[in-house]
Amino acid sequence: MNKIFDHQLMAERIESLKAGFLAGLCLTVAFFLTTLVNNLVLATNFDQLASLATGSFNLQWLVSAGIVCFCGLLFGVTYRYIIRSDKNPQLKAGGVLAFGLVRGLTQVEVGLSDSKSVLPFVVLGVESILWFALAAFFLDTAMQLGWIKPFQSK
């Protein structure tokens, strides 16, 4: 029988897609909320964080939202395989930090080379870690409730 159409393999792929969609949704919602907080609170009350204001919703904002959603999808699929059916908190934290730090430190690097103040980019970096932690929380909850099946170690 062709392995591509193996029933168990297809079931694993579907569970991974479910995890990816949930994480993508979580990161997108977190992106909207943090953008709102950045615009209404941080950018208006702290002069050093004024660059966090996005102004209006434009093409750049939509592209950013799309990238965030795609990052969430990749995180969800990968997180499911990272944690498997283990109860190891280091694996969970490591997955969150790996994705959060890669995204966050990239923003800090851009800030160092492109701006007078790196503080807004540090805020964005911390937000990235929080986004992935939130997605991990919802993925863990969905797995505990049986909505998504954890990857079974062989």
Side-chain angles (χ1 to χ4, degrees):
M1 176 149 108
N2 192 346
K3 280 204 155 263
I4 294 174
F5 298 110
D6 182 31
H7 177 69
Q8 185 175 0
L9 187 60
M10 289 301 290
E12 288 296 334
R13 288 178 181 157
I14 290 170
E15 293 301 317
S16 293
L17 277 175
K18 287 168 34 179
F21 284 131
L22 177 61
L25 177 65
C26 288
L27 257 67
T28 303
V29 169
F31 171 74
F32 289 136
L33 292 175
T34 55
T35 300
L36 190 64
V37 168
N38 289 344
N39 282 335
L40 298 178
V41 178
L42 297 179
T44 58
N45 294 324
F46 302 98
D47 291 336
Q48 287 185 319
L49 300 176
S51 64
L52 291 175
T54 57
S56 62
F57 300 113
N58 55 20
L59 181 61
Q60 179 185 356
W61 189 87
L62 288 173
V63 169
S64 294
I67 291 170
V68 166
C69 184
F70 186 67
C71 288
L73 183 127
L74 292 176
F75 173 74
V77 170
T78 306
Y79 186 77
R80 182 174 174 267
Y81 288 101
I82 289 171
I83 64 165
R84 301 180 304 268
S85 56
D86 296 341
K87 302 293 182 218
N88 187 337
Q90 286 86 10
L91 282 175
K92 292 178 180 188
V96 168
L97 285 175
F99 274 82
L101 286 173
V102 166
R103 180 172 169 79
L105 291 175
T106 302
Q107 292 172 319
V108 170
E109 182 183 16
V110 168
L112 285 172
S113 64
D114 193 41
S115 178
K116 296 174 216 136
S117 175
V118 74
L119 185 60
F121 297 97
V122 171
V123 169
L124 293 175
V126 171
E127 283 178 1
S128 294
I129 295 169
L130 293 175
W131 293 350
F132 288 106
L134 180 72
F137 171 77
F138 280 105
L139 284 168
D140 288 338
T141 302
M143 287 181 203
Q144 288 174 354
L145 294 173
W147 297 345
I148 297 173
K149 294 179 184 82
F151 183 73
Q152 297 298 319
S153 301
K154 293 183 180 184

